[in-house]
Amino acid sequence: MKKLTLFILTTILINPLFSQTWQTRSGGDDFDGNYKIASIQGVGEEFPYNEPAMAFIKWDNQEDYSFYISDAKFLQPNTGIEIILVFDNEPNVFYSVYESTDGKLSLSNDGKTAFLNGFRNSKDRISYSKYEILQKLMTASTVSVRFKDRFGQNDTKFSLSGSTKAINFVLPESELNFLVEKAINVRNEELNKEKKKQEQYENLIKYVDDIKLTDTYKIIFEIQLKRDLGLSLDVYTKSYAEDIDKIFGKANFESSKFYDRGEIKLFYLLKDGTEEEIVKIPSWQVSKDSPFYRDAEDFQQKIVDAKEDAKNKLSKYKFQSVIDLIYKRLELTEGIHKFINLQDVKVLFIKSYGNIVIDKVMIYKKDGTTYESPAYVPTDLKNRDIKEIGAKLGEYY
């Protein structure tokens, strides 16, 4: 870049090739190698930027070609630079390159030269390579260039007379066509990827419509989903586009946060089967007509049925005072919703200091797991009561 910048400055100062007809030149030395250049001098709008130069150069010891404009405007990094090209045969179509992290625009150290590596079309919003722009330089009669930043703008116009022959001097037509075709193929691949991402977005966003995410949180979620799919310009966000299979939500039907505010959690189910929480602090919220509320009603009914079933299982202990003690222990141990998974209960009665005590409660789950819960709860049972129940001291029943 330093070598090219010095070459540009030297050429502009001592060589009269920059005129209103495209010119060519070749040269070089043993240190920097040989080069070919095609260039045109433009007309600027205001002093001192009235002799800008557009050029296209190839050094034989570098693989890529350089396309640049120099002396059109002093350009200062981090000032929101935008360079816009308008061809006379495409009125009202702007080809823009912006100061950003994508490498499409770079500046010389002195801010006098802008290297142009790609553009975005205002009509279809797709990216164009510098080689496609070179082809446009060969088919139009003039190109107007506007330099903009937050401090102002400056316009320049270049004649394209003789541009075809000059550009082909540096880059033969067959090679230019090859580079253009390659750039188009790359762009089409990217567009296909973007199309698939957009289709994926539209399919995934249906879920938050179905669960009735509130309007505010839906807007937030749409932004988040676009970031996570790589549809956002936010380069700091990881893209999960190739990993996401679907979206699903979870609600805590025991929490007042759900019933009062509709708070839920959302997750991506990835294609490898793992779950990735879609973080929102404090949480996502659904409206009152969300199917989650219907699920909550079903869940509450299941709890009622499961609690009734648990009481039926405990009826074998015959004495209501004992049944109540065991039931309370289940509530403390299991939590209300765990009744749903209850398969059986067994109690270990022991004698301690003359009293019959519930020493432990063994809980059996429907999934085959068991849990032994220490209790040590005194009862008012007598030995005859244990016999009536059908239990034995020191054995689970």
Side-chain angles (χ1 to χ4, degrees), residues 97-120:
V97 59
Y98 305 88
E99 180 185 17
S100 64
T101 59
D102 61 8
K104 299 294 177 60
L105 171 65
S106 57
L107 306 177
S108 61
N109 291 335
D110 59 9
K112 294 182 179 180
T113 303
F115 298 91
L116 313 175
N117 294 303
F119 299 81
R120 187 174 293 277

Side-chain angles (χ1 to χ4, degrees), residues 230-324:
L231 288 170
S232 168
L233 296 178
D234 187 347
V235 297
Y236 302 104
T237 302
K238 177 182 176 181
S239 171
Y240 296 91
E242 297 179 357
D243 303 321
I244 298 173
D245 185 41
K246 66 178 183 179
I247 298 171
F248 67 96
K250 295 180 181 180
N252 183 357
F253 296 137
E254 289 187 283
S255 171
S256 62
K257 292 181 179 179
F258 170 75
Y259 296 100
D260 295 342
R261 298 192 292 272
E263 290 191 4
I264 65 167
K265 290 185 177 181
L266 291 175
F267 298 82
Y268 293 130
L269 178 63
L270 304 185
K271 293 177 181 177
D272 63 3
T274 59
E275 298 176 2
E276 184 85 26
E277 184 174 0
I278 310 170
V279 178
K280 173 69 183 72
I281 299 174
S283 66
W284 304 96
Q285 294 182 10
V286 293
S287 57
K288 291 295 183 181
D289 59 345
S290 169
F292 272 107
Y293 281 95
R294 293 193 295 273
D295 293 342
E297 291 177 1
D298 294 341
F299 182 80
Q300 294 300 328
Q301 185 59 50
K302 286 181 180 179
I303 290 177
V304 171
D305 295 342
K307 290 169 73 173
E308 189 63 32
D309 181 61
K311 290 177 181 178
N312 291 334
K313 287 180 170 62
L314 298 180
S315 64
K316 66 181 180 179
Y317 296 105
K318 298 184 182 296
F319 297 92
Q320 190 61 47
S321 61
V322 175
I323 292 173
D324 291 342

Side-chain angles (χ1 to χ4, degrees), residues 5-258:
T5 303
L6 291 174
F7 172 83
I8 293 168
L9 295 176
T10 303
T11 304
I12 292 173
L13 290 172
I14 67 174
N15 195 1
L17 62 85
F18 292 93
S19 64
Q20 278 298 299
T21 300
W22 279 73
Q23 304 289 330
T24 60
R25 180 183 173 184
S26 60
D29 55 45
D30 294 335
F31 296 98
D32 299 323
N34 297 319
Y35 66 85
K36 288 184 177 180
I37 185 172
S39 54
I40 180 72
Q41 182 174 302
V43 177
E45 182 181 72
E46 57 187 66
F47 179 83
Y49 312 114
N50 57 356
E51 294 184 350
M54 177 181 287
F56 180 61
I57 188 172
K58 175 66 169 69
W59 296 84
D60 61 5
N61 59 2
Q62 294 181 2
E63 182 176 351
D64 201 8
Y65 297 78
S66 295
F67 177 41
Y68 62 86
I69 300 176
S70 60
D71 275 5
K73 183 174 173 29
F74 175 73
L75 301 172
Q76 187 174 353
N78 303 316
T79 58
I81 299 170
E82 179 183 4
I83 300 176
I84 307 169
L85 277 62
V86 180
F87 296 93
D88 66 321
N89 59 347
E90 291 185 83
N92 301 317
V93 179
F94 305 135
Y95 293 88
S96 302
V97 59
Y98 305 88
E99 180 185 17
S100 64
T101 59
D102 61 8
K104 299 294 177 60
L105 171 65
S106 57
L107 306 177
S108 61
N109 291 335
D110 59 9
K112 294 182 179 180
T113 303
F115 298 91
L116 313 175
N117 294 303
F119 299 81
R120 187 174 293 277
N121 183 321
S122 64
K123 185 176 181 180
D124 50 30
R125 304 303 300 163
I126 64 174
S127 297
Y128 284 74
S129 70
K130 60 186 172 185
Y131 301 109
E132 292 171 279
I133 297 300
L134 287 177
Q135 279 191 333
K136 292 180 180 297
L137 293 174
M138 298 163 67
T139 57
S141 298
T142 62
V143 59
S144 297
V145 182
R146 171 167 289 179
F147 290 78
K148 292 177 60 178
D149 58 26
R150 69 171 60 105
F151 302 112
Q153 66 185 44
N154 181 53
D155 293 345
T156 300
K157 180 171 286 190
F158 295 93
S159 169
L160 299 178
S161 174
S163 59
T164 299
K165 183 178 180 180
I167 291 172
N168 286 157
F169 171 78
V170 179
L171 180 57
E173 182 179 4
S174 59
E175 186 175 351
L176 175 58
N177 291 338
F178 171 79
L179 292 172
V180 168
E181 182 178 359
K182 181 179 178 181
I184 291 174
N185 289 336
V186 170
R187 181 173 68 241
N188 287 339
E189 288 180 6
E190 291 299 318
L191 289 174
N192 286 333
K193 287 181 181 179
E194 291 300 304
K195 182 180 178 181
K196 288 181 179 179
K197 288 180 183 179
Q198 186 62 39
E199 291 173 350
Q200 185 181 18
Y201 169 82
E202 291 172 359
N203 288 330
L204 291 172
I205 203 67
K206 291 176 182 176
Y207 178 76
V208 298
D209 289 329
D210 293 341
I211 64 171
K212 307 293 185 180
L213 210 62
T214 62
D215 291 343
T216 298
Y217 282 88
K218 183 182 177 183
I219 292 172
I220 297 172
F221 183 82
E222 288 172 347
I223 295 171
Q224 182 68 46
L225 182 59
K226 286 179 179 179
R227 287 175 177 172
D228 291 342
L229 292 179
L231 288 170
S232 168
L233 296 178
D234 187 347
V235 297
Y236 302 104
T237 302
K238 177 182 176 181
S239 171
Y240 296 91
E242 297 179 357
D243 303 321
I244 298 173
D245 185 41
K246 66 178 183 179
I247 298 171
F248 67 96
K250 295 180 181 180
N252 183 357
F253 296 137
E254 289 187 283
S255 171
S256 62
K257 292 181 179 179
F258 170 75

